[in-house]
């Protein structure tokens, strides 16, 4: 068969390090000039960050509890991890796309704390939950942004949630300049206290039982004075936060790959272990950005009232 006419070339498969890392993340759409009402964190970025991310970043702060924004990268078909063991991080999803790493670092740099579930920590061999670790070339820019925001700590606190307290030493970020709080159950705390622990790691027991009610975790973060928390998942912890009506915004990078799923490869999707619809949170779009073939979406969520959840 002869094909005539022009047809856009099909993109080659993408692998980490092979993408066209084109800058900046450009703004395709954002709401009118009205800033969020009430107290906000953020504003116009310093020049060097603005050169990479062409929109202001302002996040409304709540007074009743910390504002929680989630950050994920997913494939077009909603997969966030290729396998539970092995190649299971966001890098395989984004193709190691540098602008996505930059946005992750920017959100961390804006926050008081980064919240992660223990399986995400265990899935990562070397990750540190700091702005500079997400995007080392922007370390100075992130530090300047934190100073501009009046944040005194050099990095946000890493908060790891675990019921079991199961970990190996490599699973706790080792940089002594970053405070780590492991939030756990009483039995998890007993287990963790038997292991060697660095001085920058605190263990906080939030009570007996097999897990901690998500409201308790958020109340703990509130009591610690955190105003803005970035939740980096994974999907199980994210699902719990959503079910509890605790997620205020989602920053979602859509990577232009279709991963697929089968019975033999149970890949995680964005939300796991909870059924939300029909009493689902709905999003209101707050920004559409793009870099190369990746889309950067920002949604503000509104949650159903508790009586609708019954
Ligand atoms: N693409 C992305 O943007 C992205 C982002 C984040 C993560 N990921 C991937 O997602 C995968 C991990 O996600 P996941 O959904 O399996 O797990 P997860 O949410 O990271 O962690 C779940 C674990 O957190 C602890 N936990 C959660 N809720 C708790 C509660 N209420 N009380 C006490 N402990 C609680 C438990 O730890 P214990 O088991 O220790 O009791 C639980 O097993 C990894 O492969 C990671 O790389 C991808």
């Amino acid at each position: 068969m002869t094909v005539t006419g022009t047809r856009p070339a099909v993109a080659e498969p993408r692998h980490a390090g092979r993408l066209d890392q084109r800058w900046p993340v450009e703004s395709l759409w954002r709401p009118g000039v009205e800033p969020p009402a009430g107290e906000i964190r953020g504003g116009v970025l310093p020049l060097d960050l603005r050169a990479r991310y062409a929109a202001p970043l302002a996040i409304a702060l709540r007074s009743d509890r910390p504002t929680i924004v989630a950050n994920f990268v997913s494939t077009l078909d909603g997969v966030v991890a290729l396998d539970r063991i092995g190649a299971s991080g966001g890098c395989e999803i984004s193709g190691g796309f540098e602008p996505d790493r930059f946005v992750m670092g920017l959100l961390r740099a804006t926050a008081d704390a980064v919240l992660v579930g223990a399986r995400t920590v265990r899935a990562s061999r070397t990750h540190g939950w700091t702005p500079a670790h997400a995007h080392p070339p922007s370390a100075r820019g992130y530090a300047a942004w934190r100073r501009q925001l009046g944040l005194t700590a050099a990095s946000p606190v890493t908060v790891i949630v675990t019921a079991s307290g199961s970990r190996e030493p490599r699973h706790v970020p080792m940089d002594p300049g970053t405070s780590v709080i492991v939030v756990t159950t009483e039995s998890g705390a007993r287990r963790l206290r038997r292991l060697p622990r660095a001085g920058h790691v605190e263990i906080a027991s939030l009570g007996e039982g097999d897990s901690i009610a998500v409201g308790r975790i958020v109340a703990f973060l509130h009591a610690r004075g955190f105003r803005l928390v970035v939740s980096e998942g994974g999907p199980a912890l994210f699902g719990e936060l959503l079910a509890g009506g605790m997620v205020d915004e989602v920053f979602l990078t859509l990577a232009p790959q279709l991963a697929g799923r089968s019975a033999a490869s149970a890949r995680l999707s964005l939300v796991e272990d909870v059924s939300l619809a029909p009493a689902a949170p709905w999003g209101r779009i707050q920004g559409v950005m793009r870099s190369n073939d990746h889309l950067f979406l920002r949604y503000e969520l509104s949650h159903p009232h508790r009586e609708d959840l019954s």
Side-chain angles (χ1 to χ4, degrees), residues 13-45:
R14 310 282 172 119
H15 302 289
R18 289 192 54 214
L19 291 176
D20 171 9
Q21 311 279 349
R22 197 186 313 155
W23 294 96
V25 183
E26 62 174 322
S27 179
L28 301 181
W29 180 88
R30 61 188 161 104
V33 286
E34 287 288 305
E39 210 179 339
I40 61 161
R41 168 84 52 88
V44 175
L45 296 173

PDB file of all heavy atoms in Angstrom, residues 13-45:
ATOM      1  N   PRO A  13      10.017   5.645  21.017  1.00  0.00           N
ATOM      2  CA  PRO A  13       9.837   5.340  22.435  1.00  0.00           C
ATOM      3  C   PRO A  13      10.756   6.217  23.270  1.00  0.00           C
ATOM      4  O   PRO A  13      11.874   6.515  22.874  1.00  0.00           O
ATOM      5  CB  PRO A  13      10.253   3.871  22.548  1.00  0.00           C
ATOM      6  CG  PRO A  13      10.215   3.337  21.166  1.00  0.00           C
ATOM      7  CD  PRO A  13      10.418   4.485  20.238  1.00  0.00           C
ATOM      8  N   ARG A  14      10.250   6.603  24.436  1.00  0.00           N
ATOM      9  CA  ARG A  14      11.021   7.505  25.294  1.00  0.00           C
ATOM     10  C   ARG A  14      11.614   6.731  26.452  1.00  0.00           C
ATOM     11  O   ARG A  14      10.957   5.902  27.048  1.00  0.00           O
ATOM     12  CB  ARG A  14      10.103   8.602  25.857  1.00  0.00           C
ATOM     13  CG  ARG A  14       9.272   9.295  24.819  1.00  0.00           C
ATOM     14  CD  ARG A  14      10.127  10.292  24.094  1.00  0.00           C
ATOM     15  NE  ARG A  14       9.436  10.857  22.977  1.00  0.00           N
ATOM     16  CZ  ARG A  14       9.158  12.144  22.840  1.00  0.00           C
ATOM     17  NH1 ARG A  14       9.461  12.985  23.778  1.00  0.00           N
ATOM     18  NH2 ARG A  14       8.575  12.581  21.761  1.00  0.00           N
ATOM     19  N   HIS A  15      12.836   7.025  26.767  1.00  0.00           N
ATOM     20  CA  HIS A  15      13.480   6.397  27.923  1.00  0.00           C
ATOM     21  C   HIS A  15      14.187   7.478  28.703  1.00  0.00           C
ATOM     22  O   HIS A  15      14.549   8.512  28.161  1.00  0.00           O
ATOM     23  CB  HIS A  15      14.481   5.343  27.486  1.00  0.00           C
ATOM     24  CG  HIS A  15      13.861   4.274  26.641  1.00  0.00           C
ATOM     25  ND1 HIS A  15      13.004   3.343  27.152  1.00  0.00           N
ATOM     26  CD2 HIS A  15      13.933   4.037  25.316  1.00  0.00           C
ATOM     27  CE1 HIS A  15      12.592   2.557  26.177  1.00  0.00           C
ATOM     28  NE2 HIS A  15      13.136   2.955  25.057  1.00  0.00           N
ATOM     29  N   ALA A  16      14.412   7.193  29.984  1.00  0.00           N
ATOM     30  CA  ALA A  16      15.077   8.176  30.836  1.00  0.00           C
ATOM     31  C   ALA A  16      16.353   8.662  30.165  1.00  0.00           C
ATOM     32  O   ALA A  16      17.135   7.878  29.651  1.00  0.00           O
ATOM     33  CB  ALA A  16      15.400   7.536  32.180  1.00  0.00           C
ATOM     34  N   GLY A  17      16.536   9.963  30.151  1.00  0.00           N
ATOM     35  CA  GLY A  17      17.757  10.536  29.612  1.00  0.00           C
ATOM     36  C   GLY A  17      17.712  10.771  28.114  1.00  0.00           C
ATOM     37  O   GLY A  17      18.615  11.369  27.560  1.00  0.00           O
ATOM     38  N   ARG A  18      16.669  10.286  27.438  1.00  0.00           N
ATOM     39  CA  ARG A  18      16.639  10.444  25.988  1.00  0.00           C
ATOM     40  C   ARG A  18      15.636  11.496  25.543  1.00  0.00           C
ATOM     41  O   ARG A  18      15.455  11.712  24.355  1.00  0.00           O
ATOM     42  CB  ARG A  18      16.285   9.118  25.330  1.00  0.00           C
ATOM     43  CG  ARG A  18      17.407   8.100  25.429  1.00  0.00           C
ATOM     44  CD  ARG A  18      17.133   6.933  24.521  1.00  0.00           C
ATOM     45  NE  ARG A  18      16.889   7.366  23.157  1.00  0.00           N
ATOM     46  CZ  ARG A  18      16.041   6.757  22.328  1.00  0.00           C
ATOM     47  NH1 ARG A  18      15.364   5.732  22.716  1.00  0.00           N
ATOM     48  NH2 ARG A  18      15.876   7.215  21.099  1.00  0.00           N
ATOM     49  N   LEU A  19      14.925  12.083  26.476  1.00  0.00           N
ATOM     50  CA  LEU A  19      13.912  13.049  26.082  1.00  0.00           C
ATOM     51  C   LEU A  19      14.540  14.374  25.699  1.00  0.00           C
ATOM     52  O   LEU A  19      15.609  14.722  26.175  1.00  0.00           O
ATOM     53  CB  LEU A  19      12.952  13.295  27.240  1.00  0.00           C
ATOM     54  CG  LEU A  19      12.040  12.135  27.604  1.00  0.00           C
ATOM     55  CD1 LEU A  19      11.222  12.508  28.813  1.00  0.00           C
ATOM     56  CD2 LEU A  19      11.124  11.807  26.442  1.00  0.00           C
ATOM     57  N   ASP A  20      13.838  15.086  24.849  1.00  0.00           N
ATOM     58  CA  ASP A  20      14.202  16.467  24.585  1.00  0.00           C
ATOM     59  C   ASP A  20      13.772  17.271  25.811  1.00  0.00           C
ATOM     60  O   ASP A  20      12.591  17.487  26.047  1.00  0.00           O
ATOM     61  CB  ASP A  20      13.454  16.945  23.339  1.00  0.00           C
ATOM     62  CG  ASP A  20      13.614  18.440  23.125  1.00  0.00           C
ATOM     63  OD1 ASP A  20      14.419  19.048  23.824  1.00  0.00           O
ATOM     64  OD2 ASP A  20      12.922  18.968  22.247  1.00  0.00           O
ATOM     65  N   GLN A  21      14.742  17.676  26.623  1.00  0.00           N
ATOM     66  CA  GLN A  21      14.424  18.330  27.905  1.00  0.00           C
ATOM     67  C   GLN A  21      14.174  19.817  27.662  1.00  0.00           C
ATOM     68  O   GLN A  21      14.873  20.667  28.180  1.00  0.00           O
ATOM     69  CB  GLN A  21      15.569  18.134  28.895  1.00  0.00           C
ATOM     70  CG  GLN A  21      16.056  16.708  29.023  1.00  0.00           C
ATOM     71  CD  GLN A  21      15.179  15.878  29.951  1.00  0.00           C
ATOM     72  OE1 GLN A  21      14.340  16.417  30.651  1.00  0.00           O
ATOM     73  NE2 GLN A  21      15.367  14.585  29.942  1.00  0.00           N
ATOM     74  N   ARG A  22      13.193  20.108  26.841  1.00  0.00           N
ATOM     75  CA  ARG A  22      13.006  21.497  26.440  1.00  0.00           C
ATOM     76  C   ARG A  22      12.381  22.326  27.562  1.00  0.00           C
ATOM     77  O   ARG A  22      11.471  21.889  28.236  1.00  0.00           O
ATOM     78  CB  ARG A  22      12.096  21.552  25.211  1.00  0.00           C
ATOM     79  CG  ARG A  22      12.187  22.873  24.493  1.00  0.00           C
ATOM     80  CD  ARG A  22      11.172  22.945  23.372  1.00  0.00           C
ATOM     81  NE  ARG A  22      11.170  21.750  22.556  1.00  0.00           N
ATOM     82  CZ  ARG A  22      10.093  21.360  21.860  1.00  0.00           C
ATOM     83  NH1 ARG A  22       8.980  22.037  21.907  1.00  0.00           N
ATOM     84  NH2 ARG A  22      10.156  20.271  21.127  1.00  0.00           N
ATOM     85  N   TRP A  23      12.950  23.500  27.766  1.00  0.00           N
ATOM     86  CA  TRP A  23      12.428  24.435  28.756  1.00  0.00           C
ATOM     87  C   TRP A  23      11.729  25.553  28.035  1.00  0.00           C
ATOM     88  O   TRP A  23      11.994  25.787  26.875  1.00  0.00           O
ATOM     89  CB  TRP A  23      13.578  25.018  29.600  1.00  0.00           C
ATOM     90  CG  TRP A  23      14.246  24.005  30.433  1.00  0.00           C
ATOM     91  CD1 TRP A  23      15.378  23.310  30.142  1.00  0.00           C
ATOM     92  CD2 TRP A  23      13.825  23.548  31.707  1.00  0.00           C
ATOM     93  NE1 TRP A  23      15.698  22.461  31.153  1.00  0.00           N
ATOM     94  CE2 TRP A  23      14.755  22.581  32.127  1.00  0.00           C
ATOM     95  CE3 TRP A  23      12.749  23.865  32.538  1.00  0.00           C
ATOM     96  CZ2 TRP A  23      14.640  21.927  33.342  1.00  0.00           C
ATOM     97  CZ3 TRP A  23      12.652  23.215  33.737  1.00  0.00           C
ATOM     98  CH2 TRP A  23      13.590  22.257  34.130  1.00  0.00           C
ATOM     99  N   PRO A  24      10.935  26.360  28.693  1.00  0.00           N
ATOM    100  CA  PRO A  24      10.500  26.196  30.074  1.00  0.00           C
ATOM    101  C   PRO A  24       9.202  25.393  30.119  1.00  0.00           C
ATOM    102  O   PRO A  24       8.740  24.899  29.101  1.00  0.00           O
ATOM    103  CB  PRO A  24      10.240  27.636  30.494  1.00  0.00           C
ATOM    104  CG  PRO A  24       9.681  28.266  29.257  1.00  0.00           C
ATOM    105  CD  PRO A  24      10.405  27.603  28.104  1.00  0.00           C
ATOM    106  N   VAL A  25       8.646  25.305  31.358  1.00  0.00           N
ATOM    107  CA  VAL A  25       7.273  24.847  31.479  1.00  0.00           C
ATOM    108  C   VAL A  25       6.438  26.079  31.174  1.00  0.00           C
ATOM    109  O   VAL A  25       6.441  27.050  31.925  1.00  0.00           O
ATOM    110  CB  VAL A  25       6.992  24.322  32.912  1.00  0.00           C
ATOM    111  CG1 VAL A  25       5.581  23.772  32.993  1.00  0.00           C
ATOM    112  CG2 VAL A  25       8.004  23.254  33.299  1.00  0.00           C
ATOM    113  N   GLU A  26       5.795  26.065  30.016  1.00  0.00           N
ATOM    114  CA  GLU A  26       5.071  27.274  29.581  1.00  0.00           C
ATOM    115  C   GLU A  26       3.613  27.206  30.020  1.00  0.00           C
ATOM    116  O   GLU A  26       3.045  26.121  30.152  1.00  0.00           O
ATOM    117  CB  GLU A  26       5.147  27.429  28.064  1.00  0.00           C
ATOM    118  CG  GLU A  26       4.502  26.299  27.319  1.00  0.00           C
ATOM    119  CD  GLU A  26       4.449  26.512  25.823  1.00  0.00           C
ATOM    120  OE1 GLU A  26       4.216  27.649  25.394  1.00  0.00           O
ATOM    121  OE2 GLU A  26       4.624  25.532  25.093  1.00  0.00           O
ATOM    122  N   SER A  27       3.042  28.365  30.238  1.00  0.00           N
ATOM    123  CA  SER A  27       1.658  28.425  30.690  1.00  0.00           C
ATOM    124  C   SER A  27       0.740  28.450  29.476  1.00  0.00           C
ATOM    125  O   SER A  27       0.877  29.313  28.611  1.00  0.00           O
ATOM    126  CB  SER A  27       1.459  29.677  31.551  1.00  0.00           C
ATOM    127  OG  SER A  27       0.114  29.741  31.974  1.00  0.00           O
ATOM    128  N   LEU A  28      -0.178  27.477  29.390  1.00  0.00           N
ATOM    129  CA  LEU A  28      -1.157  27.474  28.300  1.00  0.00           C
ATOM    130  C   LEU A  28      -2.443  28.172  28.719  1.00  0.00           C
ATOM    131  O   LEU A  28      -3.121  28.778  27.926  1.00  0.00           O
ATOM    132  CB  LEU A  28      -1.486  26.036  27.882  1.00  0.00           C
ATOM    133  CG  LEU A  28      -0.328  25.175  27.392  1.00  0.00           C
ATOM    134  CD1 LEU A  28      -0.823  23.795  26.997  1.00  0.00           C
ATOM    135  CD2 LEU A  28       0.376  25.832  26.214  1.00  0.00           C
ATOM    136  N   TRP A  29      -2.793  28.000  29.973  1.00  0.00           N
ATOM    137  CA  TRP A  29      -4.019  28.639  30.488  1.00  0.00           C
ATOM    138  C   TRP A  29      -3.932  28.747  31.999  1.00  0.00           C
ATOM    139  O   TRP A  29      -3.429  27.848  32.663  1.00  0.00           O
ATOM    140  CB  TRP A  29      -5.267  27.807  30.122  1.00  0.00           C
ATOM    141  CG  TRP A  29      -6.518  28.446  30.645  1.00  0.00           C
ATOM    142  CD1 TRP A  29      -7.286  29.393  30.026  1.00  0.00           C
ATOM    143  CD2 TRP A  29      -7.136  28.211  31.923  1.00  0.00           C
ATOM    144  NE1 TRP A  29      -8.333  29.764  30.843  1.00  0.00           N
ATOM    145  CE2 TRP A  29      -8.268  29.049  32.005  1.00  0.00           C
ATOM    146  CE3 TRP A  29      -6.827  27.381  33.005  1.00  0.00           C
ATOM    147  CZ2 TRP A  29      -9.097  29.090  33.120  1.00  0.00           C
ATOM    148  CZ3 TRP A  29      -7.660  27.418  34.123  1.00  0.00           C
ATOM    149  CH2 TRP A  29      -8.784  28.255  34.173  1.00  0.00           C
ATOM    150  N   ARG A  30      -4.411  29.852  32.531  1.00  0.00           N
ATOM    151  CA  ARG A  30      -4.613  29.952  33.979  1.00  0.00           C
ATOM    152  C   ARG A  30      -5.780  30.886  34.234  1.00  0.00           C
ATOM    153  O   ARG A  30      -6.129  31.689  33.358  1.00  0.00           O
ATOM    154  CB  ARG A  30      -3.352  30.364  34.713  1.00  0.00           C
ATOM    155  CG  ARG A  30      -2.757  31.687  34.366  1.00  0.00           C
ATOM    156  CD  ARG A  30      -1.395  31.810  35.074  1.00  0.00           C
ATOM    157  NE  ARG A  30      -0.575  32.828  34.472  1.00  0.00           N
ATOM    158  CZ  ARG A  30      -0.368  34.026  34.995  1.00  0.00           C
ATOM    159  NH1 ARG A  30      -0.930  34.372  36.125  1.00  0.00           N
ATOM    160  NH2 ARG A  30       0.425  34.891  34.392  1.00  0.00           N
ATOM    161  N   PRO A  31      -6.389  30.797  35.415  1.00  0.00           N
ATOM    162  CA  PRO A  31      -7.557  31.622  35.676  1.00  0.00           C
ATOM    163  C   PRO A  31      -7.192  33.099  35.654  1.00  0.00           C
ATOM    164  O   PRO A  31      -6.013  33.458  35.685  1.00  0.00           O
ATOM    165  CB  PRO A  31      -8.028  31.196  37.061  1.00  0.00           C
ATOM    166  CG  PRO A  31      -7.118  30.145  37.527  1.00  0.00           C
ATOM    167  CD  PRO A  31      -6.010  29.984  36.561  1.00  0.00           C
ATOM    168  N   GLY A  32      -8.212  33.965  35.636  1.00  0.00           N
ATOM    169  CA  GLY A  32      -7.985  35.413  35.581  1.00  0.00           C
ATOM    170  C   GLY A  32      -7.065  35.911  36.682  1.00  0.00           C
ATOM    171  O   GLY A  32      -6.530  35.127  37.458  1.00  0.00           O
ATOM    172  N   VAL A  33      -6.907  37.191  36.751  1.00  0.00           N
ATOM    173  CA  VAL A  33      -5.870  37.783  37.605  1.00  0.00           C
ATOM    174  C   VAL A  33      -6.173  37.709  39.100  1.00  0.00           C
ATOM    175  O   VAL A  33      -5.303  37.984  39.911  1.00  0.00           O
ATOM    176  CB  VAL A  33      -5.627  39.269  37.228  1.00  0.00           C
ATOM    177  CG1 VAL A  33      -4.872  39.347  35.921  1.00  0.00           C
ATOM    178  CG2 VAL A  33      -6.938  40.045  37.172  1.00  0.00           C
ATOM    179  N   GLU A  34      -7.414  37.305  39.462  1.00  0.00           N
ATOM    180  CA  GLU A  34      -7.778  37.255  40.886  1.00  0.00           C
ATOM    181  C   GLU A  34      -6.867  36.301  41.659  1.00  0.00           C
ATOM    182  O   GLU A  34      -6.814  35.113  41.359  1.00  0.00           O
ATOM    183  CB  GLU A  34      -9.220  36.727  41.032  1.00  0.00           C
ATOM    184  CG  GLU A  34     -10.281  37.720  40.626  1.00  0.00           C
ATOM    185  CD  GLU A  34     -10.423  38.841  41.627  1.00  0.00           C
ATOM    186  OE1 GLU A  34     -10.633  38.529  42.808  1.00  0.00           O
ATOM    187  OE2 GLU A  34     -10.288  40.015  41.235  1.00  0.00           O
ATOM    188  N   PRO A  35      -6.111  36.777  42.642  1.00  0.00           N
ATOM    189  CA  PRO A  35      -5.329  35.831  43.457  1.00  0.00           C
ATOM    190  C   PRO A  35      -6.276  35.081  44.394  1.00  0.00           C
ATOM    191  O   PRO A  35      -7.398  35.531  44.616  1.00  0.00           O
ATOM    192  CB  PRO A  35      -4.395  36.751  44.243  1.00  0.00           C
ATOM    193  CG  PRO A  35      -5.093  38.063  44.290  1.00  0.00           C
ATOM    194  CD  PRO A  35      -5.996  38.156  43.090  1.00  0.00           C
ATOM    195  N   PRO A  36      -5.856  33.932  44.928  1.00  0.00           N
ATOM    196  CA  PRO A  36      -6.719  33.224  45.869  1.00  0.00           C
ATOM    197  C   PRO A  36      -7.066  34.141  47.050  1.00  0.00           C
ATOM    198  O   PRO A  36      -6.235  34.942  47.479  1.00  0.00           O
ATOM    199  CB  PRO A  36      -5.872  32.042  46.333  1.00  0.00           C
ATOM    200  CG  PRO A  36      -4.666  31.996  45.460  1.00  0.00           C
ATOM    201  CD  PRO A  36      -4.538  33.307  44.774  1.00  0.00           C
ATOM    202  N   ALA A  37      -8.316  34.018  47.545  1.00  0.00           N
ATOM    203  CA  ALA A  37      -8.726  34.850  48.677  1.00  0.00           C
ATOM    204  C   ALA A  37      -8.028  34.370  49.943  1.00  0.00           C
ATOM    205  O   ALA A  37      -7.641  33.212  50.043  1.00  0.00           O
ATOM    206  CB  ALA A  37     -10.233  34.761  48.838  1.00  0.00           C
ATOM    207  N   GLY A  38      -7.847  35.267  50.911  1.00  0.00           N
ATOM    208  CA  GLY A  38      -7.266  34.875  52.200  1.00  0.00           C
ATOM    209  C   GLY A  38      -5.757  34.795  52.142  1.00  0.00           C
ATOM    210  O   GLY A  38      -5.104  35.317  51.238  1.00  0.00           O
ATOM    211  N   GLU A  39      -5.239  34.066  53.129  1.00  0.00           N
ATOM    212  CA  GLU A  39      -3.779  33.966  53.249  1.00  0.00           C
ATOM    213  C   GLU A  39      -3.212  33.045  52.168  1.00  0.00           C
ATOM    214  O   GLU A  39      -3.773  31.983  51.905  1.00  0.00           O
ATOM    215  CB  GLU A  39      -3.468  33.377  54.621  1.00  0.00           C
ATOM    216  CG  GLU A  39      -2.164  33.820  55.192  1.00  0.00           C
ATOM    217  CD  GLU A  39      -1.927  33.213  56.572  1.00  0.00           C
ATOM    218  OE1 GLU A  39      -2.897  32.799  57.242  1.00  0.00           O
ATOM    219  OE2 GLU A  39      -0.761  33.146  56.955  1.00  0.00           O
ATOM    220  N   ILE A  40      -2.126  33.466  51.552  1.00  0.00           N
ATOM    221  CA  ILE A  40      -1.525  32.605  50.532  1.00  0.00           C
ATOM    222  C   ILE A  40      -0.039  32.383  50.814  1.00  0.00           C
ATOM    223  O   ILE A  40       0.602  33.170  51.505  1.00  0.00           O
ATOM    224  CB  ILE A  40      -1.680  33.167  49.101  1.00  0.00           C
ATOM    225  CG1 ILE A  40      -0.989  34.533  48.961  1.00  0.00           C
ATOM    226  CG2 ILE A  40      -3.101  33.211  48.650  1.00  0.00           C
ATOM    227  CD1 ILE A  40      -0.721  34.899  47.526  1.00  0.00           C
ATOM    228  N   ARG A  41       0.485  31.313  50.254  1.00  0.00           N
ATOM    229  CA  ARG A  41       1.928  31.053  50.242  1.00  0.00           C
ATOM    230  C   ARG A  41       2.370  31.140  48.788  1.00  0.00           C
ATOM    231  O   ARG A  41       1.841  30.431  47.946  1.00  0.00           O
ATOM    232  CB  ARG A  41       2.184  29.654  50.822  1.00  0.00           C
ATOM    233  CG  ARG A  41       3.578  29.071  50.649  1.00  0.00           C
ATOM    234  CD  ARG A  41       4.567  29.516  51.705  1.00  0.00           C
ATOM    235  NE  ARG A  41       4.187  29.371  53.090  1.00  0.00           N
ATOM    236  CZ  ARG A  41       4.380  28.286  53.836  1.00  0.00           C
ATOM    237  NH1 ARG A  41       4.939  27.204  53.301  1.00  0.00           N
ATOM    238  NH2 ARG A  41       4.025  28.266  55.100  1.00  0.00           N
ATOM    239  N   GLY A  42       3.309  32.027  48.500  1.00  0.00           N
ATOM    240  CA  GLY A  42       3.853  32.085  47.148  1.00  0.00           C
ATOM    241  C   GLY A  42       3.589  33.414  46.479  1.00  0.00           C
ATOM    242  O   GLY A  42       3.361  34.419  47.131  1.00  0.00           O
ATOM    243  N   GLY A  43       3.630  33.412  45.168  1.00  0.00           N
ATOM    244  CA  GLY A  43       3.465  34.630  44.376  1.00  0.00           C
ATOM    245  C   GLY A  43       4.317  34.517  43.119  1.00  0.00           C
ATOM    246  O   GLY A  43       4.501  33.429  42.567  1.00  0.00           O
ATOM    247  N   VAL A  44       4.873  35.660  42.727  1.00  0.00           N
ATOM    248  CA  VAL A  44       5.717  35.676  41.522  1.00  0.00           C
ATOM    249  C   VAL A  44       7.067  35.048  41.864  1.00  0.00           C
ATOM    250  O   VAL A  44       7.689  35.386  42.869  1.00  0.00           O
ATOM    251  CB  VAL A  44       5.885  37.125  41.022  1.00  0.00           C
ATOM    252  CG1 VAL A  44       6.856  37.186  39.844  1.00  0.00           C
ATOM    253  CG2 VAL A  44       4.523  37.699  40.624  1.00  0.00           C
ATOM    254  N   LEU A  45       7.517  34.155  41.020  1.00  0.00           N
ATOM    255  CA  LEU A  45       8.779  33.456  41.289  1.00  0.00           C
ATOM    256  C   LEU A  45       9.965  34.362  41.000  1.00  0.00           C
ATOM    257  O   LEU A  45       9.894  35.241  40.134  1.00  0.00           O
ATOM    258  CB  LEU A  45       8.888  32.210  40.400  1.00  0.00           C
ATOM    259  CG  LEU A  45       7.845  31.113  40.616  1.00  0.00           C
ATOM    260  CD1 LEU A  45       7.991  30.032  39.550  1.00  0.00           C
ATOM    261  CD2 LEU A  45       7.989  30.504  42.001  1.00  0.00           C
TER     262      LEU A  45
END
